[in-house]
Amino acid sequence: VLFSDDVDDTSDNTWGAPPSKSSAAAPAKKKMNRWANLNPSIKARIVKEAQERAIRNKKRREPAAAKKRRLHSQYKEMESQSKREKYVRRDLPVNSNKRTLLKDIEPGTSLSGKVISLTKFGAYIDVGTEADGLLHVSQISRDEFVEHPRNYLAPGDEAEVRVVRVDPTQKKLQLTMLPEEVLDEENVMKNLEMNPDEDDRIQLDEIEVDDELWGEIRRVTDYGAYVEVGSVTRGFLHFMDHPSWEDSVGAHPRDIMSVGDRVRVWVVDVDGMLNRIKLTANRPTGLPGPRREIKWV
């Protein structure tokens, strides 16, 4: 019987009737009580996960053009942040009157400075003068070949340097980190004046591969030697490109090369961007040999 016409029927059968307000509110009230009793840290984690899930769902529905603009904006912001982190604050402003003039700097003076920027060929250091000094890669380490200054220095580092050459007219200042005995050994400090006839030296664009040159070894490192060949930069001779290496395998380069040795070398590579010359003391096999006249008897 689904329905009854008996008005006096006081049975407690409520099958098929809509739920009352009190019975519907009971589960919600119970749920609210559970949320209120949760640990605040658990609440925060649940809310955070829900927000992240909502953001992920929104990104899935994001149009391709809007996504591209958003990623580009993020990239630009990261790039700007990277530049701000690399920026080094100077102790004195660039145009400060307290900066020392280059004409008052003497070669051989020891100075303390801060690395401002790095390049492939060296580091620019602020030593409190009107122009930043250049520390060439060849003047950073005596025993090791420096591939890039970032292997030893970083922007903002403090550095103790010495003045090698100074040219007030062209605002040039050349620095070194090599010990004094090395500079004396290479006769660097005997030629402290900046050469006014810099054009007399061989330019890199005038040097070609397989060119034959004569030079003098100025420094020996763990990997080879720097050779003065009369160009605007010294050439580097790797120890394995020395003729005596085959007879002295395992020996230190100082055992087969010495400062002051005269060597005949050939150009292997010229890098104008890095300002480097790679040399070899072994005659390239591709070069034509001397002519021989055959006489028939």
mmCIF file of all heavy atoms in Angstrom, residues 14 19 68 108 129 154 186 237-238 267:
data_model
loop_
_atom_site.group_PDB
_atom_site.id
_atom_site.type_symbol
_atom_site.label_atom_id
_atom_site.label_comp_id
_atom_site.label_asym_id
_atom_site.label_seq_id
_atom_site.Cartn_x
_atom_site.Cartn_y
_atom_site.Cartn_z
ATOM 1 N N THR A 14 7.576 6.964 6.702
ATOM 2 C CA THR A 14 7.796 8.187 5.893
ATOM 3 C C THR A 14 8.452 7.843 4.567
ATOM 4 O O THR A 14 9.128 8.680 3.961
ATOM 5 C CB THR A 14 8.693 9.172 6.669
ATOM 6 O OG1 THR A 14 9.935 8.518 6.969
ATOM 7 C CG2 THR A 14 8.026 9.636 7.936
ATOM 8 N N PRO A 19 13.101 14.571 2.331
ATOM 9 C CA PRO A 19 13.794 14.675 3.623
ATOM 10 C C PRO A 19 13.508 16.012 4.278
ATOM 11 O O PRO A 19 13.347 17.033 3.618
ATOM 12 C CB PRO A 19 15.262 14.534 3.242
ATOM 13 C CG PRO A 19 15.338 14.962 1.821
ATOM 14 C CD PRO A 19 14.035 14.562 1.203
ATOM 15 N N LYS A 68 51.864 31.675 -24.822
ATOM 16 C CA LYS A 68 53.112 32.185 -25.386
ATOM 17 C C LYS A 68 53.480 33.530 -24.769
ATOM 18 O O LYS A 68 54.641 33.773 -24.431
ATOM 19 C CB LYS A 68 52.969 32.298 -26.901
ATOM 20 C CG LYS A 68 54.239 32.725 -27.605
ATOM 21 C CD LYS A 68 54.049 32.741 -29.111
ATOM 22 C CE LYS A 68 55.336 33.157 -29.818
ATOM 23 N NZ LYS A 68 55.145 33.170 -31.299
ATOM 24 N N GLY A 108 104.164 48.775 -11.994
ATOM 25 C CA GLY A 108 104.706 48.054 -10.861
ATOM 26 C C GLY A 108 103.962 48.310 -9.565
ATOM 27 O O GLY A 108 104.229 47.647 -8.560
ATOM 28 N N THR A 129 90.696 53.808 -10.365
ATOM 29 C CA THR A 129 91.242 54.771 -11.315
ATOM 30 C C THR A 129 90.138 55.252 -12.252
ATOM 31 O O THR A 129 89.005 54.776 -12.202
ATOM 32 C CB THR A 129 92.381 54.136 -12.130
ATOM 33 O OG1 THR A 129 91.882 52.948 -12.774
ATOM 34 C CG2 THR A 129 93.537 53.741 -11.225
ATOM 35 N N ALA A 154 84.991 35.807 -10.534
ATOM 36 C CA ALA A 154 83.555 36.051 -10.709
ATOM 37 C C ALA A 154 83.308 37.530 -10.443
ATOM 38 O O ALA A 154 84.035 38.164 -9.668
ATOM 39 C CB ALA A 154 82.727 35.187 -9.763
ATOM 40 N N GLU A 186 110.171 36.799 -17.062
ATOM 41 C CA GLU A 186 109.697 37.046 -18.424
ATOM 42 C C GLU A 186 110.115 38.425 -18.935
ATOM 43 O O GLU A 186 109.735 38.811 -20.045
ATOM 44 C CB GLU A 186 108.178 36.933 -18.470
ATOM 45 C CG GLU A 186 107.666 35.563 -18.093
ATOM 46 C CD GLU A 186 106.162 35.489 -18.144
ATOM 47 O OE1 GLU A 186 105.547 36.454 -18.630
ATOM 48 O OE2 GLU A 186 105.597 34.480 -17.707
ATOM 49 N N LEU A 237 102.129 27.316 -27.255
ATOM 50 C CA LEU A 237 102.696 26.082 -27.785
ATOM 51 C C LEU A 237 102.416 24.969 -26.790
ATOM 52 O O LEU A 237 102.962 24.957 -25.681
ATOM 53 C CB LEU A 237 104.205 26.239 -28.018
ATOM 54 C CG LEU A 237 104.981 24.986 -28.426
ATOM 55 C CD1 LEU A 237 104.507 24.479 -29.780
ATOM 56 C CD2 LEU A 237 106.480 25.274 -28.452
ATOM 57 N N HIS A 238 101.550 24.031 -27.160
ATOM 58 C CA HIS A 238 101.234 22.906 -26.285
ATOM 59 C C HIS A 238 102.444 21.963 -26.200
ATOM 60 O O HIS A 238 103.190 21.797 -27.174
ATOM 61 C CB HIS A 238 100.017 22.156 -26.817
ATOM 62 C CG HIS A 238 99.377 21.256 -25.812
ATOM 63 N ND1 HIS A 238 99.773 19.951 -25.628
ATOM 64 C CD2 HIS A 238 98.390 21.484 -24.903
ATOM 65 C CE1 HIS A 238 99.046 19.398 -24.665
ATOM 66 N NE2 HIS A 238 98.201 20.306 -24.211
ATOM 67 N N VAL A 267 102.080 28.258 -37.348
ATOM 68 C CA VAL A 267 100.755 28.634 -36.868
ATOM 69 C C VAL A 267 99.773 27.512 -37.182
ATOM 70 O O VAL A 267 99.672 27.069 -38.331
ATOM 71 C CB VAL A 267 100.292 29.959 -37.509
ATOM 72 C CG1 VAL A 267 98.892 30.321 -37.027
ATOM 73 C CG2 VAL A 267 101.276 31.067 -37.193
#
